Amino acid sequence: MDVRSQVSMVFHLDKCIGCHTCSIACKNIWTDRKGAEYMWWNNVETKPGTGYPTKWEDQEIYKGGWEKNGDSVSLKGAGKFKGLKNIFHNPHLPVLDDYYEPWTYKYQDLFTAPEGDDQPTARPVSLVTGEHMDVQAGPNWDDDLGGSPDYARQDYNLNQLSQAEQEAMFQLERMTFFYLPRICNHCLNPACVASCPSGAIYKRGEDGVVLINQERCRAWRMCVTACPYKKSYYNWHTGKSEKCVLCYPRLESGQAPACFHSCVGRIRYLGVLLYDADKIQKIASVPEDQLVDAQMDIYLDPFDPEVIRKAQLNGIADSTIEAAQKSPVYKFVKVWKLALPLHPEFRTLPNLFYVPALLPTMATVSNGIYDSTSKSLWNDVSQNRLPMKYLASLFTAGNTSKIVEVMKRLMAVRLHRRGVTVGDLNRNEISSAMSEAQVDAETADAIFRLTSLATFDERFVIPPAHREESIEMLENTGDVKGNTGFGFKERPARGL
Ligand code: SF4
Ligand code: SF4
């Protein structure tokens, strides 16, 4: 057992109001610069929709992530050597139009235009070329189902649905959507790390944050192709790739990342997970329907004396182990099994987890009225406004029974709390729903509390930074373990 620690995040999608405050907070700090105008390290998408860059989930187009080869995995499109043949023309690299061409307005024209018959206007000007341009698309052009036939109907996850199911989903009275905030997943098996010919990308030993060394980056852009989430970006001005740094300078001084700190819906939870690095290669290559359970298996119980002993031997500080024991992420992911990874079939073992949105998906239409509390939800999930197959495509690599399990647990909490606060539901029905979902009243109350009433300190639990570890780990980066993108050397033993 090779115990490591990872700073990780949970997004509770029922709470996201799609305000984009997180995206703006991130942009103001990190990408408000020349060459980075088109980058949104944090972006918020509407689902169903095509996202940013457009159709990023479709690996037939972009060839990102890993594919299973027997008991191992190999990069789908890019790689240290595989990608070199595409060095002069890489058809899988997203181009600017796949993101959008960033623009501003020529406001000065409002003041300096010569006198004429018409009012002067501020025309859009490209931030890349400086020329006038016709705006064709923006990073959230499909917000709130805007332009649905062009965007929502093109959602990659709809491929899992039959034509009839798709038609039913887009009936006016069933139409629904939810928001999906995205940042870099700081994966356990990062395809970006494995693909970089310069060894410029590495995973920090002490907290698992994935970073790009700007000195070593040589603009190969393999990471842009290899990242299936399209969270590595190329800066056309500096000639280097860049990505989310999980606001590590803020983390090191005990402050929450900008996206977390500014989140209006308080949907984000940040905490430490302990995991067994020895299992990465094996888990990355299990069959698709087992991927979620296998990934959950990699995260370790921070209260287990053997895990604590091995963690200490590996040099993990006691304060980090203590933070892992109090981690809200551990609760949502491992204890309550409510939070799922996004597109686990990409096999990068992402470390952001999503509690799927219950309300917009579960309400059924009966007699023309939406009903989000009926026990009938338990009996016929096919009546839900968003088909389970759609959610399974997003969060469980197509394993529908897994997503139904999670939805039922969320529903059990909802029914229990309605029983407590409103009391209009049949107690026997609530009890049978809760026992089917294997949620007792105490657990349901704890889930409700962390979801709805948690203070900042309960949502943000990280250990104090250990600079000595960080410098040691930085010096020890660069190795690739086995055939994966897992990129750091053994931790120095603590001598216990
Ligand atoms: S592969 Fe994972 S760690 Fe690397 S940029 Fe993409 S999401 Fe981030
Ligand atoms: S700030 Fe929070 S609520 Fe608003 S879009 Fe971002 S994640 Fe959602």
Side-chain angles (χ1 to χ4, degrees):
M1 195 194 305
D2 181 5
V3 183
R4 310 270 173 157
S5 73
Q6 172 76 44
V7 172
S8 175
M9 230 194 248
V10 162
F11 299 73
H12 200 305
L13 295 186
D14 258 331
K15 298 169 74 183
C16 180
I17 56 172
C19 60
H20 300 268
T21 312
C22 48
S23 306
I24 299 297
C26 175
K27 186 147 217 35
N28 280 337
I29 291 188
W30 295 111
T31 58
D32 189 14
R33 312 173 261 123
K34 195 168 178 184
E37 303 93 345
Y38 79 98
M39 296 180 200
W40 294 86
W41 291 357
N42 181 112
N43 75 299
V44 183
E45 297 172 8
T46 297
K47 281 285 169 196
T50 51
Y52 158 88
T54 187
K55 298 190 175 174
W56 63 269
E57 294 160 287
D58 190 344
Q59 303 314 332
E60 286 307 307
I61 300 173
Y62 294 118
K63 303 280 182 212
W66 302 87
E67 57 195 357
K68 180 171 159 59
N69 279 331
D71 290 338
S72 189
V73 286
S74 56
L75 287 171
K76 221 171 202 159
K80 290 193 177 82
F81 306 108
K82 209 175 185 177
L84 288 179
K85 67 181 187 323
N86 289 334
I87 190 168
F88 295 113
H89 170 63
N90 182 351
H92 311 304
L93 203 60
V95 296
L96 196 58
D97 283 346
D98 292 320
Y99 299 92
Y100 76 110
E101 186 166 349
W103 74 91
T104 184
Y105 295 94
K106 226 173 160 191
Y107 295 108
Q108 274 307 312
D109 285 0
L110 297 176
F111 303 101
T112 58
E115 198 176 322
D117 293 336
D118 303 314
Q119 286 273 15
T121 55
R123 290 177 62 194
V125 186
S126 167
L127 281 169
V128 179
T129 63
E131 305 290 321
H132 286 297
M133 62 178 276
D134 288 327
V135 177
Q136 302 285 343
N140 57 348
W141 223 232
D142 48 356
D143 229 14
D144 300 350
L145 296 184
S148 289
D150 283 341
Y151 297 108
R153 296 297 291 246
Q154 305 295 324
D155 185 312
Y156 166 79
N157 303 287
L158 296 176
N159 294 338
Q160 306 305 317
L161 274 58
S162 68
Q163 200 56 37
E165 286 169 323
Q166 289 186 34
E167 292 309 321
M169 186 171 152
F170 285 97
Q171 280 169 4
L172 198 57
E173 67 274 17
R174 274 186 77 137
M175 267 187 90
T176 184
F177 63 85
F178 62 93
Y179 300 107
L180 184 74
R182 302 202 301 117
I183 63 173
C184 163
N185 290 276
H186 300 279
C187 307
L188 292 183
N189 184 30
C192 57
V193 172
S195 70
C196 178
S198 311
I201 315 184
Y202 60 99
K203 194 165 171 65
R204 285 211 315 187
E206 76 277 24
D207 57 12
V209 174
V210 174
L211 298 171
I212 301 177
N213 181 332
Q214 295 289 291
E215 299 286 322
R216 290 178 76 171
C217 176
R218 294 285 175 270
W220 298 97
R221 283 173 268 181
M222 299 298 172
C223 55
V224 181
T225 305
C227 172
Y229 300 93
K230 291 293 162 274
K231 282 296 170 188
S232 180
Y233 303 83
Y234 179 66
N235 183 316
W236 56 266
H237 179 63
T238 62
K240 310 278 179 183
S241 291
E242 302 177 0
K243 62 179 285 303
C244 157
V245 295
L246 205 61
C247 285
Y248 75 85
R250 290 176 61 90
L251 281 180
E252 286 173 2
S253 59
Q255 298 177 72
C259 58
F260 182 107
H261 195 89
S262 64
C263 177
V264 174
R266 301 181 178 180
I267 83 157
R268 295 170 188 237
Y269 299 79
L270 199 110
V272 172
L273 290 173
L274 298 180
Y275 67 96
D276 182 1
D278 279 342
K279 288 187 176 166
I280 291 178
Q281 188 160 356
K282 183 163 166 257
I283 282 173
S285 53
V286 300
E288 277 196 359
D289 59 345
Q290 297 166 24
L291 271 166
V292 174
D293 284 337
Q295 185 173 345
M296 295 304 129
D297 194 41
I298 208 168
Y299 300 113
L300 300 166
D301 177 357
F303 297 96
D304 181 336
E306 184 58 9
V307 171
I308 294 173
R309 194 180 72 80
K310 290 274 173 65
Q312 289 171 335
L313 278 174
N314 245 8
I316 295 179
D318 290 343
S319 56
T320 304
I321 298 170
E322 205 178 304
Q325 292 172 341
K326 292 183 186 154
S327 167
V329 175
Y330 180 72
K331 285 183 190 144
F332 272 120
V333 171
K334 188 83 177 182
V335 180
W336 298 330
K337 299 184 175 57
L338 289 176
L340 297 162
L342 180 62
H343 285 299
E345 73 277 14
F346 297 160
R347 298 179 187 275
T348 59
L349 307 183
N351 279 309
L352 304 187
F353 301 90
Y354 294 85
V355 178
L358 179 76
L359 275 183
T361 58
M362 292 295 277
T364 56
V365 182
S366 72
N367 299 328
I369 298 170
Y370 289 119
D371 184 357
S372 60
T373 57
S374 160
K375 190 180 171 296
S376 67
L377 294 172
W378 296 92
N379 306 329
D380 192 1
V381 284
S382 66
Q383 290 305 310
N384 298 328
R385 294 170 77 184
L386 267 183
M388 290 298 113
K389 275 196 222 165
Y390 178 84
L391 293 173
S393 171
L394 270 169
F395 299 118
T396 58
N399 184 338
T400 315
S401 60
K402 193 88 225 150
I403 194 85
V404 170
E405 248 174 55
V406 173
M407 290 312 219
K408 287 196 167 188
R409 265 198 292 281
L410 289 169
M411 197 63 196
V413 176
R414 186 173 175 76
L415 294 176
H416 166 72
R417 289 305 304 176
R418 191 168 174 108
V420 171
T421 55
V422 185
D424 62 342
L425 300 177
N426 181 315
R427 286 303 314 172
N428 291 338
E429 287 185 353
I430 296 177
S431 300
S432 78
M434 290 177 71
S435 73
E436 189 185 334
Q438 298 178 349
V439 177
D440 57 35
E442 198 185 334
T443 307
D445 285 334
I447 294 170
F448 163 73
R449 192 189 145 70
L450 196 56
T451 302
S452 313
L453 304 173
T455 61
F456 181 87
D457 291 341
E458 289 169 272
R459 289 185 289 111
F460 178 69
V461 186
I462 56 156
H466 290 270
R467 297 294 301 168
E468 73 288 357
E469 277 183 29
S470 122
I471 289 157
E472 230 159 32
M473 291 304 145
L474 221 88
E475 285 166 354
N476 284 336
T477 54
D479 268 14
V480 172
K481 232 183 185 186
N483 196 24
T484 67
F486 176 44
F488 45 71
K489 282 187 177 173
E490 303 299 307
R491 294 182 70 112
R494 209 172 160 210
L496 292 175

